[in-house]
Amino acid sequence: MFLRELWRMIKTREGRQALAISLYRDMPGKPGYLIRERLYRRAFAAAGEGLVIFEGVRIRNVHLVKVGRDVNIGEQAFFQAGGGIELGDDVLIGPGVKIWTQNHRIDDPDTPIWRQGAVYKPVKIGDDCWLGANCFIMPGTVLGRGCVVGAGAVVGAKHYPDHCMLMGNPARVIGSRRAQPHGEDPS
């Protein structure tokens, strides 16, 4: 059974890509960055130049991810991209960040949740955004250009304006990067 399933996986392009990515997921240093960049560039729906993927990144439904130029995805990030993920240019994804685009249906209390299927909603992260370590981006979230999400924040399915700063669980807009003069500490 195992060999039959492995053979089915190897026969498809997506299966071969998934196997290759899993082999090099934790390779350290420059060789690891270069191999992962090449593998993910082929697997993503679209990818700009300057892609850096750190060790331990996991992406389900990798073929539904689009990334712009100069995107950095930090260690141990985990994307569930069944509903599609789009990252703009100059996006920084901190270590341990999770981006989810699907969730379980829970409409029928008489049917086990795992039998009800899923709801899919895309996530869009605008240009020049920074997602701090261990934040969680929920299905349907849209972050405008230049947003900053604080470490550990849980960002709900809303449209957030350009340059907003989000923190907390649930995440709330705590300010705007435009409101601070350059070089001044916002705290």
Side-chain angles (χ1 to χ4, degrees), residues 115-127:
R115 290 188 179 184
Q116 293 186 46
V119 176
Y120 298 89
K121 296 179 183 175
V123 168
K124 183 174 181 181
I125 310 297
D127 295 343

Side-chain angles (χ1 to χ4, degrees), residues 106-176:
I106 59 170
D107 305 329
D108 183 358
D110 298 321
T111 303
I113 293 170
W114 67 272
R115 290 188 179 184
Q116 293 186 46
V119 176
Y120 298 89
K121 296 179 183 175
V123 168
K124 183 174 181 181
I125 310 297
D127 295 343
D128 191 33
C129 286
W130 175 25
L131 307 184
N134 297 310
C135 68
F136 195 107
I137 308 298
M138 299 295 287
T141 299
V142 177
L143 293 177
R145 176 182 182 78
C147 291
V148 174
V149 177
V154 177
V155 180
K158 295 180 189 174
H159 287 245
Y160 296 91
D162 291 352
H163 306 289
C164 71
M165 296 183 299
L166 299 152
M167 292 186 80
N169 178 6
R172 291 178 299 283
V173 176
I174 61 159
S176 172

Side-chain angles (χ1 to χ4, degrees), residues 21-34 36-37 40 52-59 72-78 93-97:
I21 287 169
S22 70
L23 289 172
Y24 296 104
R25 177 177 292 125
D26 293 315
M27 180 180 271
K30 185 101 173 167
Y33 298 138
L34 294 172
R36 284 188 296 276
E37 184 267 342
Y40 277 105
V52 177
I53 298 179
F54 285 81
E55 295 89 353
V57 170
R58 297 171 100 49
I59 301 175
N72 281 258
I73 302 174
E75 291 181 10
Q76 306 301 320
F78 191 172
I93 306 289
V97 168

Side-chain angles (χ1 to χ4, degrees), residues 67-91:
V67 300
R69 289 179 284 102
D70 299 316
V71 170
N72 281 258
I73 302 174
E75 291 181 10
Q76 306 301 320
F78 191 172
F79 298 177
Q80 178 49 280
I85 295 174
E86 188 175 330
L87 306 176
D89 297 335
D90 303 304
V91 172

